[in-house]
């Protein structure tokens, strides 16, 4: 079958009336169990999805929408990403529908289903920390699809990543070059691909310098800046010999800065991901960063090219990172 299957196709496959299929997909339960079972099997076989946009889209039209699922719109990193995608899409007349998974696999799956029901023309996805179902389990057809920030094992889509290992290694090496020897790593769960790679880059830089990595200096699971503040404060009070912190995302960086104020001393600091207030601290906050806006714009360009009839071969793009040094006394 070509194109998106309809309720008529489901009714034909299940050998039931169209009205019965309509009642089933709209959640009615007073349906003969044998018929309901046949309808469910037909839906799974054909890959039918409700078309919530059908009332407003005439045959031959597209929805002119792109679905975007990110981790958390409140995080400046993701709001920058979303803004770049929206700006690029708007130039071609597309509207971006954004939603947050909150790193929850089940929530992510529900959002994907809803966007597909809305018949979005393309999807741009930041995969959640807690994986939901496999993308290969979704019945075709799927719209053009790009994954951001974290890889996914799905051969028909492109992926855009940052050089997390290299960037974290550069940041740690810069701290070592300033004389630091007991550098703490502070970040979110290592179940998140970006965190795991940044931790790997941190460890690699330590080992190259002949510095033993100490498990007590790795502080993970700090999802919010408040959690990072509590964790770094506790670490600095328990271990006054910690002389530097590598903060693995912007929230960890902000949390570390608050902790320095609480404890009353400021070790050397480099954070991963820039943020607006980094230049307002005294001394300024040094960061390793990649072009988040370019990541978003590139994702939008890839799906828009597919929608224009010129799809590119699926590939992985790795964006370079760079160090931005600020402040005069410490990094």
């Amino acid at each position: 079958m070509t194109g998106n299957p309809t309720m008529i196709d489901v009714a034909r496959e299940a050998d039931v009336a169209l009205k019965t299929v309509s009642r089933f997909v709209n959640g009615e339960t007073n349906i003969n169990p044998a018929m309901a079972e046949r309808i469910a099997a037909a839906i799974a076989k054909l890959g039918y999805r409700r078309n919530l946009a059908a009332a407003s889209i005439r045959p031959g039209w597209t929805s002119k929408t792109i679905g975007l699922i990110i981790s958390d719109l409140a995080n400046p990193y993701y709001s920058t990403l979303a803004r770049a995608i929206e700006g690029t899409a708007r130039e071609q007349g597309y509207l971006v529908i954004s939603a947050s998974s909150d790193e929850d696999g089940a929530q992510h799956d529900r959002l994907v289903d809803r966007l597909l029901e809305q018949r979005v023309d393309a999807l741009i996805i930041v995969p959640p920390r807690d994986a939901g179902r496999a993308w290969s389990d979704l019945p075709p057809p799927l719209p053009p699809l790009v994954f951001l920030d974290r890889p996914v094992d799905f051969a028909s889509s492109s992926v855009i990543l940052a050089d997390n290992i290299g960037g974290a290694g550069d940041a740690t090496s810069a701290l070592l070059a300033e004389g630091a020897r007991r550098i703490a790593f502070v970040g979110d769960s290592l179940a998140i691909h970006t965190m795991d790679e940044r931790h790997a880059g941190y460890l690699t830089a330590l080992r190259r310098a002949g510095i033993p990595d100490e498990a007590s200096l790795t502080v993970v699971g700090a999802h919010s800046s408040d959690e990072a503040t509590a964790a770094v404060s506790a670490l600095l009070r328990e271990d006054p010999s910690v002389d530097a912190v590598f903060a693995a995302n912007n929230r960890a960086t902000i949390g570390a800065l608050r902790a320095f104020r609480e404890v009353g001393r400021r070790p050397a600091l480099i954070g991963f991901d820039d943020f607006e207030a980094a230049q307002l601290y005294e001394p300024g906050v040094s960061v390793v960063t990649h072009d988040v806006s370019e990541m978003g714009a590139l994702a939008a360009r890839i799906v828009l090219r597919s929608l224009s009839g010129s799809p590119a071969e699926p590939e992985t793009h790795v964006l370079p990172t760079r160090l931005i040094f600020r402040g005069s006394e410490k990094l």
Side-chain angles (χ1 to χ4, degrees):
M1 176 182 298
T2 59
N4 295 313
T6 67
M7 279 199 291
I8 294 174
D9 299 319
V10 173
R12 185 181 297 115
E13 177 71 24
D15 193 23
V16 298
L18 177 60
K19 185 176 180 179
T20 305
V21 175
S22 176
R23 290 169 54 216
F24 180 90
V25 300
N26 284 293
E28 295 187 29
T29 56
N30 59 335
I31 299 173
N32 179 284
M35 287 185 176
E37 187 174 333
R38 295 206 306 273
I39 294 169
I43 287 173
K45 177 180 177 180
L46 299 176
Y48 168 78
R49 300 185 185 96
R50 289 188 301 164
N51 186 352
L52 298 180
S56 60
I57 299 179
R58 296 196 296 271
W61 282 30
T62 70
S63 67
K64 299 293 282 188
T65 58
I66 295 172
L68 170 64
I69 301 177
I70 56 179
S71 171
D72 181 3
L73 273 173
N75 187 324
Y77 175 92
Y78 291 115
S79 58
T80 299
L81 194 66
R83 185 175 181 84
I85 293 168
E86 184 180 65
T88 304
R90 187 189 301 122
E91 292 174 358
Q92 301 299 319
Y94 281 81
L95 173 71
V96 175
I97 303 173
S98 303
S100 301
S101 71
D102 297 320
E103 301 289 4
D104 181 83
Q107 168 71 355
H108 166 267
D109 291 349
R110 286 191 292 270
L111 291 172
V112 169
D113 289 342
R114 184 58 187 269
L115 289 170
L116 291 174
E117 289 173 355
Q118 293 287 162
R119 291 296 196 268
V120 294
D121 294 313
L123 285 171
I124 300 174
I125 305 287
V126 176
R129 172 188 61 201
D130 301 323
R133 68 185 165 221
W135 279 89
S136 57
D137 289 342
L138 280 170
L142 289 176
L145 176 63
V146 173
F147 295 107
L148 295 181
D149 209 34
R150 306 165 188 176
V152 168
D153 184 16
F154 191 57
S156 62
S157 61
S158 291
V159 179
I160 308 173
L161 309 171
D163 182 11
N164 293 296
I165 293 177
D170 289 344
T172 306
S173 295
L175 292 167
L176 291 167
E178 289 295 309
R181 288 298 177 266
R182 304 201 70 249
I183 305 171
F185 174 96
V186 182
D188 207 333
S189 167
L190 295 185
I192 299 174
H193 174 80
T194 49
M195 285 295 113
D196 189 49
E197 286 204 325
R198 292 171 191 180
H199 188 244
Y202 156 84
L203 294 178
T204 298
L206 291 180
R207 290 164 185 164
R208 284 177 179 167
I211 305 295
D213 56 273
E214 303 175 52
S216 63
L217 295 181
T218 291
V219 179
V220 294
H223 182 60
S224 67
S225 57
D226 288 341
E227 290 171 340
T229 297
V232 175
S233 294
L235 176 64
L236 295 180
R237 289 191 174 105
E238 293 168 5
D239 191 346
S241 66
V242 172
D243 54 10
V245 171
F246 169 55
N249 62 16
N250 53 11
R251 288 186 165 175
T253 304
I254 293 169
L257 289 164
R258 290 175 182 164
F260 296 166
R261 185 175 57 197
E262 287 184 7
V263 174
R265 69 183 181 94
R266 175 171 171 167
L269 170 68
I270 295 182
F272 206 117
D273 299 329
D274 204 1
F275 58 104
E276 287 185 353
Q279 300 180 61
L280 303 180
Y281 286 89
E282 185 59 43
V285 181
S286 295
V287 297
V288 59
T289 189
H290 66 282
D291 193 334
V292 182
S293 292
E294 173 57 21
M295 176 179 277
L298 176 58
R301 290 197 299 269
I302 290 172
V303 297
L304 288 169
R305 189 162 61 241
S306 293
L307 294 173
S308 71
S310 304
E313 287 296 317
E315 60 181 315
T316 297
H317 304 261
V318 180
L319 302 183
T321 59
R322 63 189 179 101
L323 272 167
I324 301 174
F325 294 105
R326 300 188 177 109
S328 55
E329 298 176 16
K330 290 183 177 177
L331 295 171

